[in-house]
Amino acid sequence: YEVIDLGVDVSADKFIDAIRMNPDAFVGMSALLTTTMVNMEKINKAIKSEFPEVITCVGGAPLNKEFAKKIGADYYTDEPQALVEILNSLVA
């Protein structure tokens, strides 16, 4: 997989632009602090509003499956290898 790192504190518009430039991409977001979790919800809603078919994945120390479901993310994992396995199953 090619990873396109958008950086930290990224706006929803930057995610939308990156999806336009990479239309077959999966989107992954990670949070290390609870303060960034609110932004993940806003970004995921913006992505799903414009690109409902795009698969979004979230992870990070303060997250859990319930949070991922609440914000409408398609997948949650607490470890990178599990995400690779999810992506492999999606492209198989």
Side-chain angles (χ1 to χ4, degrees):
Y1 298 99
E2 177 184 356
V3 175
I4 301 166
D5 185 349
L6 299 180
V8 298
D9 294 328
V10 177
S11 69
D13 289 338
K14 193 167 182 181
F15 275 93
I16 299 296
D17 290 343
I19 295 167
R20 282 193 186 110
M21 292 173 30
N22 302 278
D24 294 327
F26 299 104
V27 174
M29 293 180 276
S30 177
L32 295 176
L33 302 170
T34 57
T35 55
T36 58
M37 293 169 64
V38 175
N39 295 331
M40 292 175 84
E41 183 172 9
K42 293 174 188 173
I43 291 167
N44 196 72
K45 286 182 180 182
I47 290 169
K48 292 296 188 174
S49 175
E50 191 147 344
F51 303 101
E53 74 285 357
V54 168
I55 302 295
T56 58
C57 311
V58 297
L63 278 61
N64 57 39
K65 287 181 183 181
E66 291 77 23
F67 175 78
K69 184 176 180 179
K70 175 183 170 258
I71 69 167
D74 297 297
Y75 294 95
Y76 159 81
T77 181
D78 60 356
E79 58 183 69
Q81 186 58 42
L83 179 58
V84 171
E85 292 170 12
I86 290 168
L87 296 178
N88 285 343
S89 72
L90 292 172
V91 298

Coordinates of all heavy atoms in Angstrom, one line a residue:
Y1 N 0.8 -1.2 0.0 CA 0.0 0.0 0.0 C 0.9 1.3 0.0 O 1.9 1.3 0.7 CB -0.9 0.0 1.2 CG -1.9 -1.1 1.2 CD1 -1.7 -2.3 2.0 CD2 -3.0 -1.1 0.4 CE1 -2.5 -3.3 2.0 CE2 -3.9 -2.2 0.4 CZ -3.7 -3.3 1.2 OH -4.5 -4.3 1.2
E2 N 0.4 2.2 -0.7 CA 1.1 3.5 -0.7 C 0.4 4.4 0.3 O -0.8 4.6 0.3 CB 1.0 4.2 -2.1 CG 1.6 5.6 -2.1 CD 1.5 6.3 -3.4 OE1 0.9 5.7 -4.4 OE2 1.9 7.5 -3.5
V3 N 1.1 4.9 1.3 CA 0.5 5.8 2.3 C 0.8 7.3 1.9 O 1.9 7.7 1.6 CB 1.2 5.5 3.7 CG1 0.7 6.5 4.7 CG2 0.9 4.1 4.1
I4 N -0.3 8.0 1.9 CA -0.2 9.4 1.7 C -0.5 10.1 3.0 O -1.6 10.2 3.5 CB -1.2 9.9 0.6 CG1 -0.9 9.1 -0.7 CG2 -1.2 11.4 0.4 CD1 -2.0 9.2 -1.7
D5 N 0.6 10.6 3.6 CA 0.5 11.2 5.0 C 0.1 12.7 4.8 O 0.9 13.5 4.3 CB 1.8 11.1 5.7 CG 1.7 11.6 7.1 OD1 0.8 12.2 7.5 OD2 2.7 11.3 7.9
L6 N -1.1 13.0 5.3 CA -1.5 14.4 5.1 C -1.0 15.3 6.3 O -1.2 16.5 6.3 CB -3.1 14.5 5.1 CG -3.7 13.8 3.9 CD1 -5.2 13.9 4.0 CD2 -3.2 14.2 2.6
G7 N -0.5 14.7 7.3 CA 0.1 15.4 8.4 C -0.8 15.4 9.6 O -1.7 14.6 9.8
V8 N -0.6 16.4 10.5 CA -1.4 16.6 11.7 C -2.3 17.8 11.6 O -2.1 18.7 10.9 CB -0.5 16.7 13.0 CG1 0.3 15.4 13.1 CG2 0.4 17.9 12.9
D9 N -3.4 17.7 12.4 CA -4.4 18.8 12.4 C -4.9 19.2 11.0 O -4.8 20.3 10.6 CB -3.8 20.0 13.1 CG -3.6 19.8 14.6 OD1 -4.3 19.0 15.2 OD2 -2.6 20.4 15.1
V10 N -5.3 18.1 10.3 CA -5.6 18.3 8.8 C -7.1 18.6 8.7 O -8.0 18.0 9.4 CB -5.3 17.0 8.1 CG1 -5.7 17.1 6.6 CG2 -3.8 16.7 8.2
S11 N -7.4 19.6 7.9 CA -8.8 20.0 7.7 C -9.6 18.9 6.8 O -9.0 18.2 6.1 CB -8.9 21.3 6.9 OG -8.4 21.2 5.6
A12 N -10.9 19.0 6.9 CA -11.7 18.1 6.1 C -11.5 18.4 4.6 O -11.4 17.5 3.8 CB -13.2 18.3 6.4
D13 N -11.3 19.6 4.3 CA -11.0 20.0 2.9 C -9.8 19.3 2.3 O -9.7 18.9 1.2 CB -10.9 21.5 2.7 CG -12.2 22.2 2.9 OD1 -13.3 21.6 2.7 OD2 -12.2 23.4 3.2
K14 N -8.7 19.2 3.1 CA -7.5 18.6 2.7 C -7.8 17.1 2.5 O -7.2 16.5 1.5 CB -6.4 18.8 3.7 CG -5.0 18.5 3.2 CD -3.9 19.0 4.1 CE -2.6 18.7 3.6 NZ -1.5 19.1 4.5
F15 N -8.6 16.4 3.3 CA -8.9 15.0 3.1 C -9.7 14.9 1.8 O -9.4 14.0 1.0 CB -9.8 14.5 4.2 CG -9.0 14.0 5.4 CD1 -8.6 14.8 6.4 CD2 -8.5 12.7 5.4 CE1 -7.9 14.3 7.5 CE2 -7.8 12.2 6.5 CZ -7.5 13.0 7.6
I16 N -10.7 15.8 1.6 CA -11.5 15.8 0.3 C -10.6 15.9 -0.9 O -10.8 15.2 -1.9 CB -12.6 16.8 0.4 CG1 -13.5 16.7 1.6 CG2 -13.4 16.9 -0.9 CD1 -14.4 15.4 1.6
D17 N -9.7 16.9 -0.9 CA -8.8 17.1 -2.0 C -7.9 15.8 -2.3 O -7.7 15.4 -3.4 CB -7.9 18.3 -1.8 CG -8.6 19.6 -1.8 OD1 -9.8 19.6 -2.3 OD2 -8.1 20.6 -1.3
A18 N -7.4 15.2 -1.2 CA -6.6 14.0 -1.3 C -7.4 12.9 -1.9 O -6.9 12.1 -2.8 CB -6.0 13.6 0.0
I19 N -8.7 12.7 -1.6 CA -9.5 11.7 -2.1 C -9.8 12.0 -3.6 O -9.8 11.0 -4.4 CB -10.9 11.6 -1.3 CG1 -10.6 11.1 0.1 CG2 -11.8 10.6 -2.0 CD1 -11.8 11.2 1.0
R20 N -10.0 13.2 -4.0 CA -10.2 13.5 -5.4 C -8.9 13.1 -6.2 O -9.1 12.7 -7.3 CB -10.5 15.0 -5.5 CG -11.9 15.4 -5.2 CD -12.2 16.8 -5.7 NE -13.5 17.2 -5.2 CZ -13.8 18.1 -4.3 NH1 -12.8 18.8 -3.7 NH2 -15.0 18.3 -3.9
M21 N -7.8 13.4 -5.6 CA -6.5 13.0 -6.3 C -6.2 11.5 -6.3 O -5.4 11.1 -7.1 CB -5.4 13.8 -5.7 CG -5.5 15.3 -6.0 SD -4.2 16.4 -5.2 CE -2.8 15.4 -5.0
N22 N -6.8 10.8 -5.4 CA -6.6 9.4 -5.2 C -8.0 8.7 -5.1 O -8.3 8.2 -4.0 CB -5.7 9.1 -4.0 CG -4.4 9.8 -4.1 OD1 -3.5 9.4 -4.8 ND2 -4.3 11.0 -3.5
P23 N -8.8 8.6 -6.1 CA -10.1 8.2 -6.0 C -10.4 6.7 -5.5 O -11.4 6.4 -4.9 CB -10.7 8.3 -7.4 CG -9.6 8.4 -8.3 CD -8.4 8.9 -7.5
D24 N -9.4 5.9 -5.6 CA -9.6 4.5 -5.1 C -9.0 4.3 -3.7 O -8.8 3.2 -3.2 CB -8.9 3.5 -6.1 CG -9.6 3.5 -7.4 OD1 -10.9 3.7 -7.4 OD2 -9.0 3.3 -8.4
A25 N -8.7 5.4 -3.0 CA -8.0 5.3 -1.7 C -8.9 4.9 -0.6 O -10.1 5.1 -0.6 CB -7.3 6.6 -1.4
F26 N -8.3 4.3 0.4 CA -8.9 4.1 1.7 C -8.5 5.3 2.6 O -7.4 5.8 2.4 CB -8.5 2.8 2.4 CG -8.8 1.6 1.6 CD1 -7.9 0.9 0.9 CD2 -10.1 1.1 1.6 CE1 -8.2 -0.3 0.2 CE2 -10.5 -0.1 0.9 CZ -9.5 -0.7 0.2
V27 N -9.3 5.7 3.5 CA -8.9 6.8 4.4 C -8.7 6.3 5.8 O -9.5 5.6 6.3 CB -9.9 7.9 4.4 CG1 -9.6 9.0 5.4 CG2 -10.1 8.5 3.0
G28 N -7.5 6.6 6.3 CA -7.2 6.2 7.7 C -7.0 7.5 8.5 O -6.3 8.4 8.1
M29 N -7.5 7.5 9.7 CA -7.3 8.6 10.7 C -6.9 8.0 12.0 O -7.4 7.0 12.4 CB -8.5 9.5 10.8 CG -9.0 10.2 9.6 SD -10.5 11.2 9.9 CE -11.7 9.9 9.6
S30 N -6.0 8.7 12.7 CA -5.5 8.3 14.0 C -5.5 9.5 14.9 O -5.2 10.6 14.6 CB -4.1 7.8 13.9 OG -3.6 7.4 15.1
A31 N -5.9 9.2 16.2 CA -5.9 10.2 17.2 C -5.0 9.8 18.4 O -5.2 8.6 18.8 CB -7.3 10.5 17.7
L32 N -4.2 10.6 18.9 CA -3.4 10.3 20.1 C -4.0 10.9 21.3 O -3.7 10.5 22.4 CB -2.0 10.8 19.9 CG -1.2 10.0 18.8 CD1 0.2 10.6 18.6 CD2 -1.1 8.5 19.1
L33 N -4.8 12.0 21.1 CA -5.4 12.7 22.3 C -6.9 12.7 22.1 O -7.4 12.8 21.0 CB -4.9 14.1 22.4 CG -3.4 14.2 22.5 CD1 -3.0 15.7 22.3 CD2 -2.9 13.7 23.9
T34 N -7.6 12.8 23.2 CA -9.1 12.8 23.1 C -9.6 14.2 22.5 O -10.6 14.2 21.9 CB -9.7 12.7 24.5 OG1 -9.2 13.7 25.4 CG2 -9.5 11.4 25.1
T35 N -8.8 15.2 22.6 CA -9.2 16.5 22.0 C -9.3 16.4 20.5 O -10.0 17.2 19.9 CB -8.2 17.6 22.4 OG1 -6.9 17.2 22.0 CG2 -8.2 17.8 23.9
T36 N -8.6 15.5 19.8 CA -8.6 15.4 18.4 C -9.8 14.5 17.9 O -10.1 14.5 16.7 CB -7.3 14.9 17.8 OG1 -7.0 13.6 18.4 CG2 -6.2 15.8 18.1
M37 N -10.4 13.8 18.8 CA -11.5 12.9 18.4 C -12.6 13.7 17.8 O -13.3 13.2 16.9 CB -11.9 12.1 19.6 CG -10.9 11.1 20.0 SD -11.2 10.3 21.6 CE -12.7 9.4 21.2
V38 N -12.9 14.8 18.3 CA -14.1 15.6 17.8 C -13.8 15.9 16.3 O -14.8 15.9 15.5 CB -14.2 16.9 18.6 CG1 -15.3 17.8 18.0 CG2 -14.5 16.6 20.1
N39 N -12.6 16.3 16.0 CA -12.3 16.6 14.6 C -12.5 15.4 13.7 O -12.9 15.5 12.5 CB -10.9 17.1 14.4 CG -10.7 18.5 15.1 OD1 -11.7 19.2 15.2 ND2 -9.5 18.7 15.6
M40 N -12.2 14.2 14.2 CA -12.4 13.0 13.4 C -13.8 12.8 13.0 O -14.1 12.4 11.8 CB -11.9 11.8 14.2 CG -10.4 11.7 14.4 SD -9.9 10.4 15.4 CE -9.8 9.1 14.2
E41 N -14.7 13.1 13.9 CA -16.1 13.0 13.6 C -16.5 13.9 12.4 O -17.2 13.6 11.5 CB -17.0 13.2 14.8 CG -18.5 13.0 14.6 CD -19.3 13.1 15.8 OE1 -18.8 13.4 16.9 OE2 -20.5 12.7 15.7
K42 N -16.1 15.2 12.5 CA -16.4 16.2 11.5 C -15.8 15.8 10.2 O -16.5 15.9 9.1 CB -15.9 17.5 11.9 CG -16.6 18.1 13.1 CD -15.9 19.4 13.5 CE -16.4 19.9 14.9 NZ -15.7 21.1 15.4
I43 N -14.6 15.3 10.2 CA -13.9 14.9 8.9 C -14.6 13.7 8.3 O -14.8 13.7 7.1 CB -12.4 14.7 9.2 CG1 -11.7 16.0 9.5 CG2 -11.8 14.0 8.0 CD1 -10.3 15.9 10.1
N44 N -14.9 12.7 9.1 CA -15.5 11.5 8.6 C -16.9 11.9 8.0 O -17.2 11.4 6.9 CB -15.7 10.4 9.7 CG -16.0 9.1 9.1 OD1 -15.1 8.5 8.5 ND2 -17.2 8.6 9.2
K45 N -17.7 12.7 8.6 CA -19.0 13.1 8.1 C -18.8 13.9 6.8 O -19.6 13.6 5.8 CB -19.7 14.0 9.1 CG -20.3 13.1 10.2 CD -21.1 13.9 11.2 CE -21.6 13.0 12.3 NZ -22.4 13.7 13.3
A46 N -17.8 14.7 6.7 CA -17.6 15.4 5.4 C -17.2 14.5 4.3 O -17.7 14.6 3.2 CB -16.5 16.5 5.6
I47 N -16.3 13.5 4.6 CA -15.9 12.5 3.6 C -17.1 11.7 3.1 O -17.3 11.6 1.9 CB -14.8 11.6 4.2 CG1 -13.5 12.4 4.4 CG2 -14.6 10.4 3.3 CD1 -12.5 11.6 5.2
K48 N -17.9 11.2 4.1 CA -19.0 10.4 3.7 C -20.1 11.2 3.0 O -20.8 10.6 2.1 CB -19.6 9.7 5.0 CG -18.7 8.7 5.6 CD -18.5 7.5 4.6 CE -17.7 6.4 5.3 NZ -17.6 5.2 4.4
S49 N -20.2 12.4 3.3 CA -21.2 13.3 2.6 C -20.8 13.4 1.1 O -21.7 13.4 0.2 CB -21.2 14.7 3.2 OG -22.1 15.5 2.5
E50 N -19.6 13.6 0.8 CA -19.1 13.8 -0.6 C -18.8 12.5 -1.3 O -18.9 12.4 -2.5 CB -17.9 14.8 -0.6 CG -17.6 15.2 -2.0 CD -17.1 16.6 -2.1 OE1 -17.2 17.4 -1.1 OE2 -16.5 16.9 -3.2
F51 N -18.2 11.6 -0.5 CA -17.8 10.3 -1.1 C -18.3 9.1 -0.3 O -17.6 8.5 0.5 CB -16.3 10.2 -1.2 CG -15.6 11.3 -1.9 CD1 -15.0 12.4 -1.2 CD2 -15.6 11.3 -3.3 CE1 -14.4 13.4 -1.9 CE2 -15.0 12.3 -4.0 CZ -14.4 13.4 -3.3
P52 N -19.6 8.8 -0.3 CA -20.2 7.8 0.5 C -19.5 6.4 0.4 O -19.6 5.6 1.3 CB -21.7 7.8 0.2 CG -21.8 8.5 -1.1 CD -20.6 9.4 -1.2
E53 N -18.9 6.2 -0.8 CA -18.3 4.8 -1.1 C -16.9 4.7 -0.5 O -16.4 3.6 -0.4 CB -18.3 4.6 -2.6 CG -17.2 5.4 -3.3 CD -17.5 6.9 -3.6 OE1 -18.6 7.4 -3.2 OE2 -16.6 7.6 -4.1
V54 N -16.3 5.8 -0.1 CA -15.0 5.7 0.5 C -15.0 5.0 1.8 O -15.8 5.3 2.7 CB -14.3 7.1 0.6 CG1 -13.0 7.1 1.4 CG2 -14.1 7.7 -0.8
I55 N -14.1 4.1 2.0 CA -13.9 3.3 3.2 C -13.0 4.1 4.2 O -11.9 4.5 3.8 CB -13.3 1.9 3.0 CG1 -14.1 1.1 2.0 CG2 -13.0 1.2 4.3 CD1 -15.5 0.7 2.5
T56 N -13.5 4.4 5.4 CA -12.8 5.1 6.4 C -12.4 4.2 7.6 O -13.3 3.4 8.0 CB -13.5 6.4 6.9 OG1 -14.8 6.0 7.4 CG2 -13.8 7.4 5.8
C57 N -11.2 4.4 8.0 CA -10.7 3.5 9.1 C -10.1 4.5 10.2 O -9.5 5.4 9.8 CB -9.6 2.6 8.6 SG -10.0 1.7 7.2
V58 N -10.4 4.2 11.4 CA -9.8 5.0 12.5 C -9.2 4.1 13.6 O -9.4 2.9 13.7 CB -11.0 5.8 13.2 CG1 -11.6 6.8 12.2 CG2 -12.0 5.0 13.8
G59 N -8.2 4.8 14.3 CA -7.5 4.1 15.3 C -6.8 5.1 16.2 O -6.8 6.3 15.9
G60 N -6.2 4.6 17.2 CA -5.4 5.5 18.1 C -5.8 5.2 19.6 O -6.8 4.6 19.9
A61 N -4.9 5.7 20.4 CA -5.0 5.3 21.9 C -6.4 5.6 22.5 O -6.9 4.8 23.2 CB -3.9 6.1 22.6
P62 N -7.0 6.8 22.3 CA -8.2 7.1 23.0 C -9.5 6.5 22.3 O -10.6 6.6 22.8 CB -8.3 8.6 23.0 CG -7.6 9.0 21.7 CD -6.5 8.0 21.6
L63 N -9.3 5.8 21.2 CA -10.5 5.4 20.4 C -10.9 4.0 20.8 O -10.1 3.2 21.3 CB -10.2 5.4 18.9 CG -10.4 6.8 18.2 CD1 -9.5 7.8 18.8 CD2 -10.2 6.6 16.7
N64 N -12.1 3.6 20.4 CA -12.6 2.2 20.6 C -13.7 2.0 19.5 O -14.0 2.9 18.7 CB -13.2 2.0 22.0 CG -14.3 3.0 22.3 OD1 -15.1 3.3 21.5 ND2 -14.3 3.4 23.6
K65 N -14.2 0.8 19.4 CA -15.2 0.4 18.4 C -16.4 1.2 18.5 O -17.0 1.6 17.5 CB -15.5 -1.1 18.5 CG -14.4 -2.0 18.0 CD -14.9 -3.4 18.1 CE -13.7 -4.3 17.7 NZ -14.1 -5.8 17.7
E66 N -16.9 1.5 19.7 CA -18.1 2.3 19.9 C -17.9 3.7 19.3 O -18.9 4.2 18.7 CB -18.4 2.4 21.4 CG -18.9 1.1 22.0 CD -17.7 0.1 22.3 OE1 -16.6 0.5 22.4 OE2 -18.0 -1.1 22.3
F67 N -16.8 4.3 19.5 CA -16.6 5.6 19.0 C -16.6 5.6 17.4 O -17.2 6.4 16.8 CB -15.2 6.2 19.5 CG -14.9 7.5 18.8 CD1 -15.5 8.7 19.3 CD2 -14.0 7.6 17.8 CE1 -15.2 9.9 18.6 CE2 -13.7 8.8 17.2 CZ -14.3 10.0 17.6
A68 N -15.9 4.6 16.9 CA -15.8 4.5 15.4 C -17.2 4.3 14.8 O -17.6 5.0 13.8 CB -15.0 3.3 15.0
K69 N -18.0 3.5 15.5 CA -19.4 3.4 15.0 C -20.2 4.7 15.1 O -20.9 5.1 14.2 CB -20.1 2.3 15.9 CG -21.5 1.9 15.4 CD -22.1 0.8 16.2 CE -23.5 0.5 15.7 NZ -24.1 -0.6 16.4
K70 N -20.0 5.4 16.3 CA -20.7 6.6 16.5 C -20.4 7.7 15.4 O -21.3 8.4 15.0 CB -20.3 7.2 17.9 CG -20.9 8.6 18.2 CD -20.4 9.1 19.5 CE -20.8 10.5 19.7 NZ -19.8 11.5 19.5
I71 N -19.2 7.8 15.0 CA -18.8 8.8 14.0 C -19.0 8.3 12.5 O -18.8 9.0 11.6 CB -17.4 9.3 14.1 CG1 -16.3 8.2 13.8 CG2 -17.2 9.8 15.5 CD1 -14.9 8.8 13.7
G72 N -19.4 7.0 12.4 CA -19.7 6.5 11.0 C -18.5 6.0 10.3 O -18.6 5.8 9.1
A73 N -17.4 5.7 11.0 CA -16.2 5.1 10.3 C -16.6 3.7 10.0 O -17.3 3.0 10.7 CB -15.0 5.2 11.3
D74 N -16.0 3.2 8.9 CA -16.3 1.8 8.5 C -15.5 0.8 9.4 O -16.0 -0.3 9.6 CB -15.9 1.7 7.0 CG -16.8 2.5 6.2 OD1 -18.0 2.3 6.1 OD2 -16.2 3.4 5.5
Y75 N -14.3 1.1 9.8 CA -13.5 0.2 10.5 C -12.7 0.9 11.6 O -12.4 2.0 11.5 CB -12.5 -0.5 9.6 CG -13.1 -1.4 8.6 CD1 -13.4 -0.9 7.3 CD2 -13.5 -2.7 8.9 CE1 -14.0 -1.7 6.4 CE2 -14.1 -3.5 7.9 CZ -14.4 -3.0 6.7 OH -15.0 -3.8 5.7
Y76 N -12.5 0.1 12.7 CA -11.6 0.5 13.8 C -10.7 -0.6 14.1 O -11.0 -1.8 14.0 CB -12.5 0.8 15.1 CG -11.6 0.7 16.3 CD1 -10.9 1.8 16.7 CD2 -11.6 -0.4 17.1 CE1 -10.1 1.8 17.9 CE2 -10.8 -0.5 18.2 CZ -10.0 0.6 18.6 OH -9.2 0.5 19.7
T77 N -9.5 -0.3 14.4 CA -8.5 -1.3 14.9 C -7.6 -0.6 15.9 O -7.3 0.6 15.8 CB -7.7 -2.0 13.8 OG1 -6.9 -2.9 14.4 CG2 -7.0 -1.0 13.0
D78 N -7.1 -1.4 16.8 CA -6.1 -0.8 17.8 C -4.7 -1.2 17.5 O -3.8 -0.9 18.2 CB -6.5 -1.2 19.2 CG -6.5 -2.7 19.4 OD1 -6.3 -3.5 18.5 OD2 -6.7 -3.1 20.6
E79 N -4.5 -1.8 16.3 CA -3.1 -2.2 15.9 C -2.9 -2.1 14.4 O -3.9 -2.5 13.7 CB -2.7 -3.6 16.5 CG -3.7 -4.7 16.0 CD -3.3 -6.0 16.6 OE1 -3.5 -6.2 17.8 OE2 -2.9 -6.9 15.8
P80 N -1.8 -1.7 13.9 CA -1.6 -1.5 12.5 C -1.7 -2.8 11.7 O -2.3 -2.7 10.6 CB -0.2 -0.9 12.4 CG 0.1 -0.3 13.7 CD -0.7 -1.2 14.7
Q81 N -1.2 -3.9 12.2 CA -1.3 -5.1 11.4 C -2.7 -5.5 11.1 O -3.1 -6.1 10.1 CB -0.5 -6.2 12.0 CG -0.4 -7.5 11.2 CD 0.2 -7.3 9.8 OE1 1.2 -6.6 9.7 NE2 -0.4 -7.9 8.8
A82 N -3.6 -5.3 12.1 CA -5.0 -5.6 11.9 C -5.6 -4.8 10.8 O -6.4 -5.3 10.0 CB -5.8 -5.4 13.2
L83 N -5.2 -3.6 10.7 CA -5.7 -2.7 9.6 C -5.2 -3.3 8.2 O -6.0 -3.3 7.3 CB -5.3 -1.3 9.7 CG -5.7 -0.4 8.6 CD1 -7.3 -0.4 8.5 CD2 -5.2 1.1 8.9
V84 N -4.0 -3.7 8.2 CA -3.5 -4.3 6.9 C -4.3 -5.5 6.5 O -4.7 -5.7 5.4 CB -2.0 -4.7 7.1 CG1 -1.5 -5.5 5.9 CG2 -1.1 -3.4 7.2
E85 N -4.6 -6.4 7.5 CA -5.5 -7.5 7.2 C -6.9 -7.1 6.7 O -7.4 -7.8 5.8 CB -5.5 -8.4 8.5 CG -4.2 -9.0 8.8 CD -4.1 -9.7 10.2 OE1 -5.2 -9.9 10.8 OE2 -3.0 -10.1 10.6
I86 N -7.4 -6.1 7.3 CA -8.7 -5.6 6.9 C -8.6 -5.1 5.4 O -9.5 -5.5 4.6 CB -9.2 -4.4 7.8 CG1 -9.6 -5.0 9.2 CG2 -10.4 -3.7 7.1 CD1 -9.8 -3.9 10.2
L87 N -7.6 -4.3 5.1 CA -7.5 -3.8 3.8 C -7.2 -5.0 2.8 O -7.8 -4.9 1.7 CB -6.3 -2.8 3.7 CG -6.5 -1.5 4.5 CD1 -5.3 -0.6 4.4 CD2 -7.8 -0.8 4.1
N88 N -6.4 -5.9 3.2 CA -6.2 -7.1 2.3 C -7.5 -7.8 2.0 O -7.7 -8.2 0.9 CB -5.2 -8.1 2.9 CG -3.8 -7.6 2.9 OD1 -3.4 -6.6 2.1 ND2 -2.9 -8.1 3.7
S89 N -8.4 -7.9 3.0 CA -9.7 -8.6 2.8 C -10.6 -7.8 1.8 O -11.4 -8.4 1.1 CB -10.4 -8.9 4.1 OG -10.9 -7.7 4.7
L90 N -10.4 -6.5 1.9 CA -11.3 -5.6 1.0 C -10.8 -5.6 -0.4 O -11.7 -5.5 -1.3 CB -11.3 -4.2 1.6 CG -11.9 -4.0 2.9 CD1 -11.7 -2.6 3.4 CD2 -13.4 -4.3 2.8
V91 N -9.6 -5.8 -0.7 CA -9.1 -5.8 -2.1 C -9.0 -7.2 -2.7 O -8.7 -7.3 -3.8 CB -7.7 -5.0 -2.2 CG1 -7.9 -3.6 -1.8 CG2 -6.6 -5.7 -1.4
A92 N -9.2 -8.2 -1.9 CA -9.1 -9.6 -2.4 C -10.1 -10.0 -3.3 O -11.2 -9.4 -3.4 CB -9.1 -10.6 -1.2

